[in-house]
Amino acid sequence: ETGVTQTPRHLVMGMTNKKSLKCEQHLGHNAMYWYKQSAKKPLELMFVYSLEERVENNSVPSRFSPECPNSSHLFLHLHTLQPEDSALYLCASSQDLGGRSQPQHFGDGTRLSIL
Amino acid sequence: RKEVEQDPGPFNVPEGATVAFNCTYSNSASQSFFWYRQDCRKEPKLLMSVYSSGNEDGRFTAQLNRASQYISLLIRDSKLSDSATYLCVVNPGNDYKLSFGAGTTVTVRA
């Protein structure tokens, strides 16, 4: 059972809809991440939070809006998305932002399809 | 040049065989290295960290070659359950930013 849970697992939405992705980690970690994984491409880092403060906004379009109300929960609010936004969205957490020798633990992802 | 490059495969091997593949990285100052495993339509899961001296975990052996800037993964006595995509992950600096390869797909057949 994963220590990082994401809901929903699948989401189909139209370009004018508004929806939110949710991530919850049960590992007591202080850092959380959103990644985008498109088919056959490497994971792309979108946002990073440490102790509920955003430390990275990796040139992500404003139609993606993250929210981190506490160190265990992370949301990604979606509005007016484009077809090219269809992808697997992965949440991850790590103990801290230290990075070195500190792996990130991933949730099982939300597969998003934009019609 | 991509930060992390992997042969996409697929590597098709029979059960019981040994399979090995490499991953090259561009930043010579890279500090940490990992292999993750990703099953079809699932999340990446940490397989093993890669240490300078090389390390082994059961049937899996990882090596680091800093001079040539690559890491390798060797799977011995392949099982059907080893079929997956193996992601090479490199930490170029001493922070949280990881560089991911696009993955090497391994298919083990009966």
Side-chain angles (χ1 to χ4, degrees):
Chain A
E1 184 180 334
T2 179
V4 181
T5 57
Q6 289 185 242
T7 54
R9 293 293 306 277
H10 303 274
L11 179 60
V12 179
M13 56 188 284
M15 289 191 283
T16 58
N17 292 155
K18 290 184 180 181
K19 296 285 184 184
S20 295
L21 310 185
K22 179 183 175 183
C23 175
E24 183 175 0
Q25 58 96 0
H26 315 277
L27 301 169
H29 289 170
N30 293 320
M32 297 186 76
Y33 312 77
W34 278 118
Y35 286 90
K36 175 184 178 182
Q37 188 178 31
S38 302
K40 304 294 184 186
K41 290 187 178 179
L43 273 72
E44 301 170 47
L45 181 63
M46 299 175 73
F47 301 104
V48 182
Y49 278 82
S50 174
L51 297 171
E52 302 134 55
E53 286 199 21
R54 192 189 311 179
V55 298
E56 180 84 28
N57 180 352
N58 209 17
S59 302
V60 179
S62 59
R63 57 186 184 267
F64 295 92
S65 174
E67 179 190 359
C68 188
N70 55 62
S71 59
S72 299
H73 292 86
L74 186 64
F75 294 90
L76 188 62
H77 304 300
L78 317 171
H79 64 97
T80 59
L81 295 192
Q82 304 299 309
E84 61 266 27
D85 297 323
S86 298
L88 180 67
Y89 288 84
L90 291 160
C91 173
S93 71
S94 64
Q95 185 59 56
D96 295 294
L97 287 183
R100 181 169 182 159
S101 299
Q102 199 176 110
Q104 295 175 15
H105 299 265
F106 287 85
D108 40 20
T110 294
R111 189 158 296 280
L112 177 65
S113 298
I114 306 300
L115 302 179
Chain B
R1 184 182 173 186
K2 294 179 185 176
E3 290 188 45
V4 178
E5 295 206 57
Q6 295 184 249
D7 180 345
F11 287 72
N12 296 308
V13 299
E15 246 184 317
T18 295
V19 59
F21 42 89
N22 296 338
C23 156
T24 58
Y25 59 94
S26 61
N27 188 336
S28 60
S30 296
Q31 299 290 324
S32 305
F33 308 87
F34 309 93
W35 282 107
Y36 278 74
R37 170 202 169 117
Q38 186 171 26
D39 293 302
C40 187
R41 305 180 81 81
K42 296 246 182 158
E43 79 278 19
K45 292 183 180 177
L46 178 66
L47 180 65
M48 58 198 303
S49 301
V50 185
Y51 303 122
S52 297
S53 55
N55 49 301
E56 191 175 301
D57 183 0
R59 298 181 293 106
F60 297 84
T61 300
Q63 296 280 351
L64 167 63
N65 186 316
R66 285 195 183 273
S68 301
Q69 293 181 212
Y70 72 86
I71 64 172
S72 63
L73 182 66
L74 182 146
I75 308 173
R76 286 187 303 280
D77 188 23
S78 300
K79 310 292 184 191
L80 295 176
S81 56
D82 295 334
S83 298
T85 296
Y86 292 86
L87 304 180
C88 172
V89 182
V90 177
N91 185 346
N94 193 23
D95 63 9
Y96 54 85
K97 293 186 183 178
L98 301 178
S99 295
F100 289 80
T104 296
T105 298
V106 172
T107 302
V108 182
R109 61 182 188 275

